[in-house]
Structures are given as structure tokens and as C-alpha cells.
Amino acid sequence: MPRHSPSLDRATPDRIAETALLLVDEGGPEALTFRALAARLEISLASLQRRCTDLAGLLDLCTDHLAARLPEIAPGTDWATATETRFAALYRLLADRPGLLALRGSRPWLSPNLLARLVEPQLADSLAAGMTPEEAFAAYRRMYLLTLGSASFVDHRDPKSTGAAARTALAALDPETFPVLTGHLASIVPTLTDHEVYYGALRQLIHAADPRHDHQ
């Protein structure tokens, strides 16, 4: 029988993802390197690369690990309630991981758990609610883009620093050229990290797309 390698136990997909996300949380996106991750896992670089050959593969592991936390919606749940539950959960996951968002950049979010817990059931529910395939895909796309953009626009984990940086930048503008931006700092800055801005926009999209409503 081949010898069992303890390093393989330390290099399970979940353990790799958890450790990679911890490195990013601790030191930012630049802290995630294969050498640093292998050292933290106490495995060889070769063992790590057998599990995920490149950065794209590593980020896919991280995405899939997080997506496993997305809720499974009970059959028969009202379409609007199910839709808000799914996308709000995705928003919370992404807003808590700004480093991962920065690393993924424009790479598609197509992990198995994301497809199984968000994309497929959301589209299936939309079709069952009476949407055409075109309407279902368009509604999903709008809500997905809203969620991704709202989560990645600012670092929601540090609202005070985000607000202070925005206030400093806006206050430095020429009031004659930018009278609205410089004259309404007290109203503008809090909205940057206000989660209700996202939730309100999401509910508006859901209401507009809900096939039970007459939108004429």
C-alpha cells in the first residue's frame, strides 16, 4: 500500500481556502502567495500546486468555499423573498472579503457551489414564477451586478477609515468647480458604507422584476 502523506490531510480544498482567506484578511491581497500559503499550511510548495496549479485555481477554491455558505431556500418560498435572501447573503459574503474581490478582478464567479446555490435555483425560480428565459436572465444579471459592485466599491469592514478617506478627498476639491460634492459632505460620505443603500436598490430591482406586479 502507498504511504499516507500527512501533508495531503493539511491540503484539503477547504483547509487551503480557509488559510488563503486568512492570509488575505491579515495582510491584504499581496500577502497571498503560494510560498506563504504552503508555509502556513506546513506543506511543500509542490503539494500545494498539486491541489491548485495557479492563482486562478486557488481563487476558485476560495470562492467555492465561501459559496457553500449561501442559504438553500425551501421549495415554495415566495419568489421575492427567495431572491432577496439569496442576493443579500451573497452581498454579505463578498462585503466581508474585499481582498478576495480585489484578487479575482474580472475573473468570472462560476464555482460549483455558487452555480448550485445561487445561479441555477434563482433562474429556475424565476422561470417558475412566470418569467421568460430572457426576463429571468436579465433580472439575475441586474441583481448580480448590483451585488458585486456594491460589495467591491469600498471596504465595508472599515467604514470609519473609508468615510474619512472619502471626506478628505472630497474636501480637497475646488468648491467653485464641485459645489455639490464639497457642499454636501455630511450627506454623501455616510452613504458610501451604508448597507441599506444596497438593500434598498436590491428591493427596487426585485419589485420591478416581480412577475406578479403590473409594471405598466
Side-chain angles (χ1 to χ4, degrees):
M1 295 179 60
R3 290 192 303 171
H4 177 73
S5 172
S7 66
L8 294 180
D9 292 336
R10 294 192 292 270
T12 63
D14 281 339
R15 181 89 185 277
I16 291 172
E18 289 171 0
T19 307
L21 290 168
L22 182 60
L23 284 175
V24 175
D25 287 345
E26 291 175 349
E30 63 278 2
L32 183 59
T33 67
F34 269 66
R35 290 191 181 280
L37 181 55
R40 182 67 67 90
L41 288 166
E42 297 182 328
I43 62 174
S44 69
L45 186 60
S47 294
L48 177 59
Q49 290 173 329
R50 281 196 292 271
R51 292 293 196 189
C52 42
T53 58
D54 54 18
L55 179 61
L58 176 56
L59 295 178
D60 285 343
L61 279 185
C62 293
T63 302
D64 201 53
H65 177 75
L66 290 177
R69 304 177 188 177
L70 292 173
E72 293 183 341
I73 308 299
T77 300
D78 170 74
W79 178 84
T81 299
T83 300
E84 182 173 346
T85 300
R86 288 191 185 103
F87 281 99
L90 177 64
Y91 170 75
R92 289 190 293 270
L93 280 179
L94 297 181
D96 284 342
R97 301 291 182 176
L100 178 62
L101 283 168
L103 283 168
R104 287 201 66 91
S106 61
R107 293 183 177 91
W109 295 73
L110 296 174
S111 76
N113 276 321
L114 191 67
L115 293 173
R117 289 178 176 262
L118 175 70
V119 184
E120 180 67 20
Q122 180 60 39
L123 293 176
D125 280 359
S126 294
L127 294 176
M131 292 187 192
T132 66
E134 293 77 12
E135 289 170 338
F137 297 149
Y140 174 86
R141 184 70 174 164
R142 293 186 188 108
M143 295 174 206
Y144 170 77
L145 291 176
L146 169 69
T147 303
L148 189 60
S150 298
S152 60
F153 184 64
V154 297
D155 186 347
H156 290 280
R157 296 183 310 167
D158 191 0
K160 288 186 178 180
S161 294
T162 298
R167 184 180 295 276
T168 299
L170 293 175
L173 296 174
D174 180 359
E176 292 187 3
T177 305
F178 303 99
V180 175
L181 289 173
T182 58
H184 299 278
L185 291 177
S187 299
I188 294 172
V189 172
T191 65
L192 297 178
T193 54
D194 183 359
H195 295 298
E196 283 304 315
V197 172
Y198 165 75
Y199 293 126
L202 176 63
R203 291 176 191 127
Q204 288 179 336
L205 287 178
I206 290 172
H207 180 80
D210 195 331
R212 298 171 303 176
H213 296 157
D214 183 0
H215 303 295
Q216 295 184 346

